[in-house]
Amino acid sequence: MLTINPSGALALQAAQAVAGAQHYPAGALYLVATPIGNLADITLRALHLLQQVDAVACEDTRHSGALLRAYGIERPLLALHQHNEREAAATVVARLQAGERIAYVSDAGTPGISDPGARLCQAVAAAGLRCVPLPGASSLTALLCVAGVLESDAAPGFAFVGFLPAKGAAREQALRRLAQQPQACVLLEAPHRLPALARELALLGARRLTVGRELTKQFEEVATLPCAELPAWLAAKAQRLRGEFALLLHPPEAAAPASADSGPEAEALRVLDLLLPELPLKTAVRLCAEISGAPRNALYQAALQRQPR
């Protein structure tokens, strides 16, 4: 028998009071955002809806089962994750066509945002059925709202990058696009890959970065610092390599126009000095020019001067 936490029971009563009057059509898929760390961040409408559906499709049934039990909700669970999304989506579509209501929840945050759910929505829409969003917690918006990014005509809005490719040419190209992007960019990263990303972002030098670690949780940390300081910031405390990360790369600051005969700025030379030991000279010069905006010819001359005689 399911034992309901008293506070969970109160939450369900409140959910019924504020969301019970809304119509929840049958034969529809409900995309439900769930907390990214703090259990209290689930919405009352999500709690009410999760009691009404015939089943809850989950990225991880163990994780989502614990969330439902915390609020005294008991519903059949279906596993639907990145490895079985195409096959499981067919099962969900069949159940929707039979008139059922199905909710989909990923492990944390909003389905389809660097989480499974997009293929499922495509399959449901292709079958002529309805997808209903229930918005809520998101590391993307949580970090954006505290980063203090000002929009400008030169850099309107922001770009959501999510997780970069793991390695190889695809990662190098993604980092190059990131360095050239005039807008603010939001990235996500797992803790075990963060040191490598920190070293790569450090090449952007003085460009500002806002780091969100363990957002909404007890040991939440938000810090804004130059990209060059990110490796040292991570190394300052051992616990900083634990938990989930969201990072916001601020738009580059407008540089003062350089005179035609001036050499590379100190920041461009610093980037060049980091790249030269790792890459062939021409590749280092090309990447440095793309990252810093300094003239390639001037960087090439500086690189030649740095070669051992």
Side-chain angles (χ1 to χ4, degrees), residues 29 55-59 64 76-80 92 102-106 120:
L29 173 71
V56 179
C58 317
E59 183 180 2
S64 299
L77 303 180
L78 310 172
L80 191 152
V92 170
I102 305 290
Y104 182 67
V105 298
S106 55
L120 174 61

Side-chain angles (χ1 to χ4, degrees), residues 4-19 39-40 42-48 51 70-73:
I4 302 178
N5 184 302
S7 60
L10 290 173
L12 295 184
Q13 291 173 18
Q16 170 63 32
V18 300
L39 195 64
I42 195 164
T43 69
L44 292 176
R45 190 158 74 106
L47 289 176
H48 179 73
Q51 297 176 85
Y71 285 101
I73 299 172

Side-chain angles (χ1 to χ4, degrees), residues 143-144 146-151 155 157-158 183-184 208 210 248-251:
L143 187 62
L144 269 170
V146 296
V149 175
L150 299 177
E151 291 192 18
F158 67 93
Q183 296 175 303
R208 291 197 307 151
T210 296
L248 186 141
L249 183 64
H250 289 242

Side-chain angles (χ1 to χ4, degrees), residues 27-212:
L29 173 71
Y30 295 85
L31 284 298
V32 183
T34 54
I36 60 175
N38 192 317
L39 195 64
D41 286 340
I42 195 164
T43 69
L44 292 176
R45 190 158 74 106
L47 289 176
H48 179 73
L49 182 279
L50 289 169
Q51 297 176 85
Q52 310 306 312
V53 295
D54 296 283
V56 179
C58 317
E59 183 180 2
D60 186 328
T61 56
R62 295 165 299 179
H63 184 97
S64 299
L67 172 66
L68 295 178
R69 286 193 298 273
Y71 285 101
I73 299 172
E74 193 169 17
R75 282 290 175 270
L77 303 180
L78 310 172
L80 191 152
H81 44 75
Q82 63 176 337
H83 303 297
N84 77 340
E85 188 170 0
R86 195 180 304 277
E87 297 79 10
T91 300
V92 170
V93 167
R95 295 185 66 159
L96 295 177
Q97 289 171 331
E100 293 189 9
R101 299 178 182 88
I102 305 290
Y104 182 67
V105 298
S106 55
D107 286 352
T110 304
I113 310 298
S114 289
D115 273 342
R119 284 195 178 92
L120 174 61
C121 286
Q122 286 180 351
V124 171
L129 300 166
R130 184 176 174 185
C131 296
V132 181
L134 270 71
S138 165
S139 59
L140 166 64
T141 52
L143 187 62
L144 269 170
C145 75
V146 296
V149 175
L150 299 177
E151 291 192 18
S152 68
D153 292 338
F158 67 93
F160 177 59
V161 178
F163 291 94
L164 294 176
K167 55 186 177 179
R171 185 176 182 88
E172 182 180 326
Q173 291 169 6
L175 287 164
R176 192 179 308 152
R177 288 194 299 269
L178 194 64
Q180 297 171 335
Q181 174 62 258
Q183 296 175 303
C185 299
V186 181
L187 299 92
L188 304 177
E189 191 53 282
H192 69 279
R193 299 201 320 184
L194 199 63
L197 179 62
R199 291 191 296 271
E200 292 160 336
L201 291 179
L203 296 174
L204 300 182
R207 189 165 172 181
R208 291 197 307 151
L209 181 78
T210 296
V211 184

